[in-house]
Amino acid sequence: MVGKIISHYKILEKLGEGGMGVVYKAEDTKLKRIVALKFLPHHLSISNEDNARLLNEAQMTAKLNHPHICTIYDIEEADEEKFIVMEFVDGVTLRTKMKETVLRFEEAINYATQIGEALEEAHAQGIIHRDIKPDNIMINSKNQIKVMDFGIAKLKEGLGVTRTMSTSGTLSYMAPEQLSNSAIDGRVDIFSLGILLYEMLSSKLPFRGDHQAAMIYSILNEEPEPINKYLSEVPSEMLHVLNRALEKDPEDRYQNVHDMVIDLRRLKKQTGGVTHHTTTHEHFENITEPTTKSFGFLRSKSKKQLAVILLFVLLIVCAVVAVLFISRGPQLNPDMKSQVITLPFQSVRYATMSKDGNWVVFPAADDKGKFDIYMMNLSQGQPRKVTNDFSVSIPNATISPDANTILFTRYNYNTNLNEIISVSSSGGSERVILENATVADWRTDGQRILFLIRKLITYNRRVLECWSSKPDGLDRRFEFADTFANRIGYRNAFNYSSDGRSIVWTKNFKEGYCELMIRDLEKGTDRQLTFDKKFADDPIWAPNDQIIYSSNRNGNINLWIISASGGEAAQLTRGSGHDMRMGITSDGKRLLYSEIHENIGQIKLGNLNNGSIQQLTFDDRARANPSFSPDGKEIVFIAQELDDISYIRNIYVMNKDGSNVRKLTDDVSFKNYPTWSADKKWIIYAARPTNEPLDSMRVYLIQADKPGPPRMVGYGFGPLWFNEKEFTFVKLSLTTYKGSVDSKEVQRFSEDSIVVRPILNGKYVSIGDNRTAQKRLYTNSMTSYKLSGIKNAKPLYLFRDLIYSFIASTTEFYYRRKGSENELRKITFPDLSDLQVNFDFNGLAPTYDFNLSNDGKEIVYVQSYWKVKYIILDNIFK
């Protein structure tokens, strides 16, 4: 073929050959330019299918105009051969470059970003590449990426190209849904790009196998080796990018390339000038063993001189060791003074102290459970109310270094989001500065704040992202992310260094523990500070470069101190705990911390006829989700196990008067919403192991009268009964499924994003459409609901943001509206009167933690409060 002229193209040389065609370098004799021509291989028959595939490639790729996509000029036919005329890229494939050299960290990010930008353009045109691999990526002489070969791409609108292993990508770079022949979209390219990025960084494939079956098994079932096995100083953002790109479930993956490109661009900005090392052999080729020639000067010395030299060296070593030993632990003052702060509130939350040590700012609740911000002078001891917020939940507050501005987190039940509020310390109007954010923390100069965003990946699965902004919420910057966001009660998880150049933060690990990390904001790198594989939280950076934090490394949760440079930690407090730091003065002499910071939940029984309330539980532990038995004689609920940091909850049952408390489950998992079947034989509930993400929730059945090993019925949440044997639950796709105690199989019961729930023991159904945020109440029974929806029935009631009791009387439906304070309402059937219950059940919060008896006469609910004791430590350091 070389030297031949086809049409007006002179073939100059063969560039390469693959399964989809042979590529030649050629001269366009008309336009006097160098191009590349792609032909079908000669050994293939030129069938209609081959021609159609070649034509599709040209038509699709010709639609793309992007600097990182190889340009298509034309498609022609000569001598019964079709060929594509495309841009000639003077360079090498990424595969060739990776064989020749180890890519630098910044170089890999740069290439991945360019590839992502190319895919972003293709996906916007409805084109999926489906074969991203090093062989299809060219690097030109300007070190720019060109993505090649969209010949097996598939238009989203469907060109009808068959998805087979031979035409849908190279096995090592394929996504799980390609291997299982499932429906695919642009997220397969994201998975392939994640593999490619991992390979560029480590020179290894994340999924491996000696043969095809082993490779398929690895992609479908195995997790990659941690990238930090091959790299040192891996930024947490890189772990975040790789973890999200390589999620096996497309729903857990980046949902579009644009988001991945944004994260890669952030990495590019943060990693300039940072050196990263790999463990591959290329880095050790030039290292040689020292020879005796290197120590030749010793042979010229006498034994006496040698002894003097050795003694001198020994003294130096001893001095260095002594200095290191002295600096290994902070020097605590044995004569430090402590003082307990007395507060006139039962329920208070996370406080802070002004930098001069004169003021403490804290959220506290009144006797109705409504929170406001208070400020108290420590020498005078009289709290002053700063806000008139009357919020159900204010978990924390912090004050600016100049003591003029208070920031606090408030949960907005109307939006289901946390928001950060700014208010003057002298009082006045409050202003929302950040939405979907929590845990504000001030930089020492008062010019910036840190805050946390729980970013939703799938239902109940979040990534914790740390951002910074100006105190008014403007000029927001992404700082880093914790990719394993497993803990529910994330508290003050970070703090600025005194110079504002670094952050100490708490990193979660999959095994269930957390450690302290130091983030260099200029370099974008992390350094692990603690290695206890225990609980570590609430770090605060003292002015003398000591870090105070909470840990259970000796059993109880106490305060510990460790140098920011590392070394041994020293124990600061030694009580029963839980101890949590809250603030430190600018001179480091005064520390505010809390003791016994616990969420207490007491179960109460309310009479709907006369409004009387009876407390059923009294010991200090968290409880939730109480539910009456069908006959109204017993109550099932979940209660805390062990301590506040484990989040283990088990299921308990007690008599309606609070007597005869007994435990039904005993395992290390977090559980919620247990309910009885109509015949009182079964209890259904949702649970997940405490070391697994929130989206791993499973639904279980357990016999109420003869507890034994629970039976798993499926993955999901929100299980509800609608008769003695049948139940429903919701999968993470927000689709309702139906099951029975007599069968191990479950059936889909609704369309996607439609949640169907029984009320009034299954006589009516509530249908929530998550696409329109509407809920409707229908008269149809559960058994008449079909996948196609409810037919021949009109909705009785349309409502939004409703919180209701899943089990109620046969004539009344009790509910609450979000943001309606303590208001409890009911709908009576069949006249549909909507009435307010004229009793104030103290502590009834706008949550799902309440339940009605079947006869409609009693309500059971949980009143929660926070038990905290504030303590001042003075002169903690020598």
Side-chain angles (χ1 to χ4, degrees):
M1 183 73 78
V2 175
K4 186 177 180 180
I5 296 180
I6 297 180
S7 182
H8 53 89
Y9 301 99
K10 182 179 180 180
I11 307 298
L12 300 177
E13 62 177 292
K14 182 178 178 180
L15 296 175
E17 182 174 358
M20 296 302 301
V22 182
V23 182
Y24 293 92
K25 180 180 178 181
E27 179 187 359
D28 183 341
T29 58
K30 282 187 177 180
L31 299 178
K32 303 299 181 182
R33 63 180 177 182
I34 301 299
V35 297
L37 307 182
K38 180 173 182 179
F39 297 83
L40 284 177
H42 289 299
H43 64 272
L44 293 180
S45 60
I46 307 177
S47 64
N48 292 334
E49 181 182 0
D50 295 328
N51 282 326
R53 185 178 296 117
L54 196 64
L55 181 61
N56 284 339
E57 175 182 355
Q59 290 174 339
M60 288 187 294
T61 314
K63 296 170 64 176
L64 304 176
N65 182 15
H66 192 273
H68 299 310
I69 296 177
C70 181
T71 305
I72 295 295
Y73 297 138
D74 201 357
I75 180 168
E76 298 191 21
E77 183 174 3
D79 300 332
E80 298 184 349
E81 287 189 296
K82 273 192 172 68
F83 57 92
I84 296 174
V85 184
M86 55 189 177
E87 173 188 2
F88 170 70
V89 180
D90 184 14
V92 298
T93 67
L94 181 57
R95 172 82 67 195
T96 300
K97 179 150 187 174
M98 287 195 297
K99 287 180 178 179
E100 293 175 348
T101 183
V102 176
L103 298 183
R104 293 180 293 106
F105 186 84
E106 297 79 7
E107 200 170 24
I109 297 174
N110 183 35
Y111 290 162
T113 304
Q114 293 181 53
I115 297 168
E117 290 169 349
L119 291 173
E120 188 176 357
E121 170 67 18
H123 291 178
Q125 299 294 329
I127 302 171
I128 308 168
H129 192 289
R130 301 203 299 172
D131 195 21
I132 292 297
K133 59 183 179 181
D135 311 85
N136 284 336
I137 309 297
M138 293 291 293
I139 305 172
N140 66 17
S141 55
K142 298 179 180 180
N143 204 33
Q144 296 173 330
I145 288 292
K146 292 285 185 177
V147 180
M148 315 284 290
D149 198 356
F150 280 82
I152 58 173
K154 180 184 178 185
L155 287 173
K156 288 181 180 176
E157 301 302 323
L159 286 172
V161 179
T162 304
R163 289 192 314 269
T164 66
M165 192 169 295
S166 61
T167 62
S168 63
T170 303
L171 182 58
S172 302
Y173 301 88
M174 290 173 68
E177 58 267 37
Q178 288 175 284
L179 296 172
S180 58
N181 204 31
S182 302
I184 66 170
D185 54 29
R187 290 174 293 186
V188 301
D189 288 344
I190 294 173
F191 191 88
S192 300
L193 179 54
I195 293 176
L196 188 56
L197 177 57
Y198 186 102
E199 186 179 15
M200 286 192 289
L201 293 171
S202 66
S203 301
K204 305 285 184 182
L205 284 169
F207 308 106
R208 305 168 203 172
D210 295 332
H211 47 80
Q212 187 180 68
M215 177 63 76
I216 293 174
Y217 178 85
S218 179
I219 294 173
L220 294 177
N221 300 285
E222 295 179 345
E223 295 298 327
E225 290 280 357
I227 194 68
N228 51 18
K229 177 179 178 180
Y230 308 104
L231 288 170
S232 64
E233 298 182 358
V234 183
S236 59
E237 289 83 357
M238 176 56 75
L239 302 178
H240 169 66
V241 170
L242 288 173
N243 288 342
R244 285 199 67 187
L246 295 177
E247 287 282 3
K248 298 186 186 299
D249 188 341
E251 295 300 321
D252 296 343
R253 212 174 295 156
Y254 281 107
Q255 296 302 291
N256 55 72
V257 187
H258 178 69
D259 289 345
M260 185 176 179
V261 169
I262 289 176
D263 287 347
L264 287 168
R265 286 172 181 162
R266 288 173 183 155
L267 264 171
K268 285 177 65 177
K269 293 178 182 178
Q270 296 171 357
T271 55
V274 180
T275 303
H276 300 265
H277 305 284
T278 71
T279 57
T280 50
H281 65 87
E282 288 88 347
H283 289 277
F284 299 100
E285 287 179 351
N286 297 321
I287 298 178
T288 59
E289 292 294 326
T291 65
T292 55
K293 184 177 179 179
S294 305
F295 305 99
F297 76 97
L298 292 177
R299 294 196 300 269
S300 64
K301 306 291 183 182
S302 67
K303 291 182 179 181
K304 184 177 180 178
Q305 290 173 317
L306 181 59
V308 172
I309 292 173
L310 291 176
L311 179 60
F312 180 71
V313 171
L314 182 60
L315 290 173
I316 293 176
V317 171
C318 290
V320 171
V321 170
V323 170
L324 292 175
F325 180 77
I326 291 172
S327 63
R328 286 178 70 185
Q331 301 300 296
L332 300 178
N333 181 9
D335 298 323
M336 68 181 76
K337 306 296 183 182
S338 65
Q339 172 190 353
V340 176
I341 301 175
T342 303
L343 298 174
F345 302 98
Q346 181 189 43
S347 185
V348 294
R349 295 297 303 273
Y350 208 108
T352 189
M353 183 173 58
S354 60
K355 287 298 182 181
D356 60 10
N358 294 326
W359 297 89
V360 60
V361 176
F362 58 93
D366 61 16
D367 56 359
K368 293 184 179 181
K370 304 303 179 187
F371 277 88
D372 271 300
I373 298 298
Y374 292 81
M375 190 169 181
M376 186 175 75
N377 187 288
L378 289 173
S379 62
Q380 297 174 358
Q382 185 61 39
R384 172 175 58 86
K385 194 175 180 181
V386 178
T387 67
N388 289 291
D389 190 69
F390 281 108
S391 175
V392 174
S393 177
I394 300 180
N396 56 65
T398 182
I399 190 168
S400 60
D402 62 9
N404 290 329
T405 305
I406 297 172
L407 301 179
F408 63 94
T409 303
R410 177 179 66 192
Y411 184 75
N412 189 327
Y413 281 96
N414 293 316
T415 63
N416 286 330
L417 295 173
N418 283 310
E419 53 194 16
I420 294 179
I421 313 295
S422 176
V423 65
S424 170
S425 57
S426 60
S429 61
E430 303 156 22
R431 185 167 61 92
V432 178
I433 62 167
L434 293 164
E435 294 182 340
N436 189 27
T438 185
V439 194
D441 190 76
W442 293 86
R443 198 166 70 184
T444 50
D445 61 3
Q447 298 303 304
R448 295 194 71 79
I449 60 171
L450 290 173
F451 61 92
L452 190 69
I453 292 179
R454 291 175 172 90
K455 190 172 183 181
L456 184 67
I457 303 302
T458 61
Y459 175 82
N460 257 352
R461 183 170 186 179
R462 292 166 173 83
V463 168
L464 299 177
E465 294 187 343
C466 179
W467 291 67
S468 69
S469 73
K470 291 182 178 179
D472 57 3
L474 300 178
D475 187 25
R476 303 176 190 180
R477 301 175 192 168
F478 174 79
E479 300 293 354
F480 59 88
D482 187 358
T483 58
F484 191 77
N486 190 32
R487 287 191 294 136
I488 299 172
Y490 218 80
R491 295 188 286 262
N492 229 33
F494 41 64
N495 190 246
Y496 274 114
S497 61
S498 298
D499 59 11
R501 296 178 180 177
S502 300
I503 297 173
V504 56
W505 64 285
T506 299
K507 177 178 175 59
N508 294 297
F509 288 82
K510 188 178 297 184
E511 293 77 10
Y513 59 86
C514 39
E515 305 283 9
L516 296 185
M517 310 289 290
I518 300 291
R519 156 65 52 131
D520 187 314
L521 294 176
E522 295 178 355
K523 296 180 179 178
T525 57
D526 285 314
R527 170 173 56 86
Q528 188 167 333
L529 186 62
T530 62
F531 298 86
D532 299 321
K533 294 187 177 180
K534 298 282 188 178
F535 171 81
D537 205 357
D538 297 301
I540 190 168
W541 206 312
N544 59 353
D545 257 0
Q546 301 294 325
I547 292 173
I548 304 170
Y549 66 102
S550 300
S551 177
N552 65 338
R553 56 182 291 173
N554 272 4
N556 295 331
I557 300 177
N558 295 129
L559 294 183
W560 292 73
I561 302 182
I562 189 172
S563 171
S565 60
E568 291 295 324
Q571 190 167 356
L572 177 59
T573 61
R574 298 182 181 274
S576 58
H578 310 354
D579 299 341
M580 298 165 54
R581 68 86 180 169
M582 291 189 172
I584 194 167
T585 54
S586 56
D587 59 9
K589 293 182 178 181
R590 170 170 280 193
L591 174 74
L592 171 70
Y593 76 96
S594 69
E595 187 180 80
I596 322 175
H597 198 278
E598 295 177 329
N599 181 14
I600 309 300
Q602 304 296 3
I603 297 178
K604 295 189 173 184
L605 186 69
N607 188 304
L608 291 168
N609 292 325
N610 58 29
S612 63
I613 301 173
Q614 177 187 358
Q615 185 167 326
L616 304 181
T617 60
F618 297 92
D619 57 320
D620 290 348
R621 58 175 172 167
R623 296 178 182 85
N625 312 138
S627 178
F628 280 108
S629 61
D631 58 11
K633 295 181 179 180
E634 295 177 293
I635 296 170
V636 64
F637 60 95
I638 63 170
Q640 176 190 31
E641 292 293 317
L642 301 180
D643 53 45
D644 185 50
I645 64 168
S646 69
Y647 297 106
I648 295 171
R649 303 290 188 271
N650 274 306
I651 297 176
Y652 289 77
V653 172
M654 66 181 175
N655 294 343
K656 188 178 69 172
D657 61 2
S659 63
N660 192 23
V661 180
R662 56 200 183 276
K663 193 174 184 179
L664 293 190
T665 64
D666 191 12
D667 58 84
V668 289
S669 66
F670 178 86
K671 306 171 184 66
N672 59 20
Y673 301 116
T675 56
W676 260 292
S677 61
D679 59 6
K680 203 179 174 181
K681 291 182 178 179
W682 295 89
I683 289 176
I684 196 167
Y685 65 94
R688 67 168 178 85
T690 56
N691 63 342
E692 291 187 9
L694 298 180
D695 60 358
S696 62
M697 196 71 78
R698 305 161 173 93
V699 177
Y700 291 91
L701 283 169
I702 190 171
Q703 285 187 277
D705 55 345
K706 294 181 291 186
R711 188 182 101 198
M712 179 180 165
V713 298
Y715 281 87
F717 61 97
L720 295 174
W721 297 94
F722 63 91
N723 60 40
E724 293 182 352
K725 301 221 179 239
E726 294 181 297
F727 55 84
T728 64
F729 64 94
V730 182
K731 289 204 171 183
L732 298 180
S733 60
L734 297 181
T735 304
T736 308
Y737 277 71
K738 176 182 174 182
S740 170
V741 297
D742 295 331
S743 173
K744 294 183 179 180
E745 302 296 326
V746 295
Q747 298 176 340
R748 183 175 170 180
F749 199 59
S750 77
E751 300 170 0
D752 287 343
S753 299
I754 301 295
V755 175
V756 182
R757 293 185 173 183
I759 58 174
L760 300 186
N761 298 317
K763 293 190 177 183
Y764 300 88
V765 293
S766 165
I767 297 181
D769 188 340
N770 290 281
R771 297 167 297 189
T772 61
Q774 290 187 346
K775 298 177 182 177
R776 296 177 184 268
L777 185 67
Y778 286 85
T779 57
N780 294 55
S781 68
M782 273 309 260
T783 54
S784 68
Y785 182 82
K786 304 297 181 184
L787 278 176
S788 58
I790 287 185
K791 296 182 178 180
N792 303 319
K794 295 182 179 180
L796 293 178
Y797 210 76
L798 173 65
F799 46 80
R800 296 175 185 269
D801 298 324
L802 202 70
I803 299 171
Y804 55 81
S805 171
F806 297 140
I807 299 177
S809 71
T810 56
T811 60
E812 295 172 333
F813 169 65
Y814 287 80
Y815 74 96
R816 301 193 59 196
R817 286 194 179 96
K818 294 179 180 178
S820 61
E821 303 301 333
N822 281 340
E823 184 183 74
L824 181 66
R825 304 188 67 86
K826 67 178 178 180
I827 300 172
T828 60
F829 291 86
D831 63 333
L832 299 180
S833 298
D834 190 347
L835 304 172
Q836 181 176 348
V837 178
N838 294 318
F839 298 116
D840 183 6
F841 292 108
N842 191 21
L844 180 60
T847 66
Y848 293 98
D849 270 1
F850 74 97
N851 187 254
L852 278 295
S853 60
N854 272 349
D855 59 11
K857 295 181 179 180
E858 293 176 304
I859 180 173
V860 62
Y861 64 97
V862 173
Q863 180 179 11
S864 295
Y865 62 93
W866 288 87
K867 183 179 179 181
V868 181
K869 181 168 67 175
Y870 295 159
I871 301 175
I872 291 286
L873 282 182
D874 281 313
N875 301 316
I876 59 177
F877 298 107
K878 286 184 178 180

